[in-house]
Amino acid sequence: MFIIVGLGNPGEEYTKTRHNTGRQVLEMIAKKLAFSPWKEDLKTKSLIAEGKIGKTKVVFVLPNNFMNNSGKSVTPFVKVKKDLESLVVLYDDLDIPIGSIKISHNRSAGGHNGLGSIIKAVKSEAFARIRIGITPTTPGGKLKRPTGEKPVIDFLMKDFREPEYAELKKVAKKITEALDVMLNEGRPKAMSMFNN
């Protein structure tokens, strides 16, 4: 059984913000694959939906803790080190352009508080993650990334514009395909196919 976690903040006001990308994309995938309806799980303080990707049973998890406490919702699913092999975390990445994704494994949090919280909670970096680009680019393809703490926070807490949101729906389709390959044919194959 695989555990796929979509990072974000709970609450209406955050629903379409850039920082909620992991959560938004996982909700889109659950809908597309006709997973069970989301139900609140009090033990893990999260919303959970179940279904299959290919032949593999999967549980989708949306932590209902705030971003920097995401780890609390994930630890009940990771009881032994071996469980880390079936954990995949989806989250927003400022260093990747909108429309792109990057699959990585066993790396640091790179300053992402939600991921940092999970690493601290499970006491390991040895799990897969799918980083989802949230930063617009110039016509020449250069990232228009904000700099400085306040501009970055303001940017993360802003809603996607309509064309960007449409792009996110395409990304959800790409991630569905990537997860199918990862879960059924292995992470190395998914990385070679989707990290372009």
Side-chain angles (χ1 to χ4, degrees):
M1 177 116 79
F2 271 78
I3 307 296
I4 319 279
V5 181
L7 292 187
N9 288 307
E12 279 297 302
E13 67 272 36
Y14 301 108
T15 303
K16 281 194 168 184
T17 62
R18 292 172 197 273
H19 210 26
N20 266 38
T21 300
R23 196 177 173 101
Q24 291 177 67
V25 166
L26 207 55
E27 287 176 321
M28 289 173 191
I29 296 172
K31 193 173 174 183
K32 188 179 182 301
L33 297 181
F35 267 45
S36 68
W38 292 100
K39 63 175 193 286
E40 198 162 344
D41 183 67
L42 296 174
K43 195 177 101 169
T44 59
K45 199 169 180 217
S46 62
L47 293 173
I48 287 177
E50 296 177 11
K52 278 185 174 181
I53 296 179
K55 294 182 179 71
T56 309
K57 283 180 81 172
V58 182
V59 176
F60 282 178
V61 180
L62 302 177
N64 264 344
N65 291 303
F66 278 93
M67 185 70 91
N68 48 3
N69 281 321
S70 303
K72 287 181 181 168
S73 295
V74 178
T75 38
F77 294 101
V78 181
K79 299 199 170 50
V80 292
K81 281 272 180 268
K82 195 161 171 25
D83 294 341
L84 291 168
E85 290 167 25
S86 48
L87 174 66
V88 184
V89 180
L90 275 55
Y91 65 98
D92 56 293
D93 194 316
L94 273 169
D95 297 319
I96 300 175
I98 288 174
S100 297
I101 64 169
K102 195 153 178 99
I103 301 168
S104 55
H105 179 265
N106 205 8
R107 295 177 49 146
S108 75
H112 193 286
N113 291 339
L115 195 68
S117 167
I118 292 174
I119 289 170
K120 194 173 163 197
V122 301
K123 300 181 178 61
S124 176
E125 294 176 349
F127 56 89
R129 59 281 318 244
I130 299 179
R131 295 149 56 201
I132 307 166
I134 60 165
T135 304
T137 53
T138 64
K142 247 176 83 73
L143 276 183
K144 293 200 282 191
R145 189 190 192 285
T147 49
E149 194 178 349
K150 189 177 179 329
V152 164
I153 290 168
D154 291 347
F155 177 76
L156 290 174
M157 291 305 162
K158 266 201 190 91
D159 284 5
F160 281 106
R161 296 184 333 235
E162 271 316 311
E164 294 173 333
Y165 197 67
E167 198 62 45
L168 205 59
K169 287 182 179 164
K170 286 186 207 159
V171 166
K173 186 174 181 294
K174 192 192 288 184
I175 290 174
T176 306
E177 291 162 11
L179 284 169
D180 195 352
V181 174
M182 191 191 288
L183 273 51
N184 298 297
E185 298 178 61
R187 189 184 66 248
K189 182 159 186 186
M191 288 170 92
S192 72
M193 283 174 70
F194 294 91
N195 286 355
N196 43 22

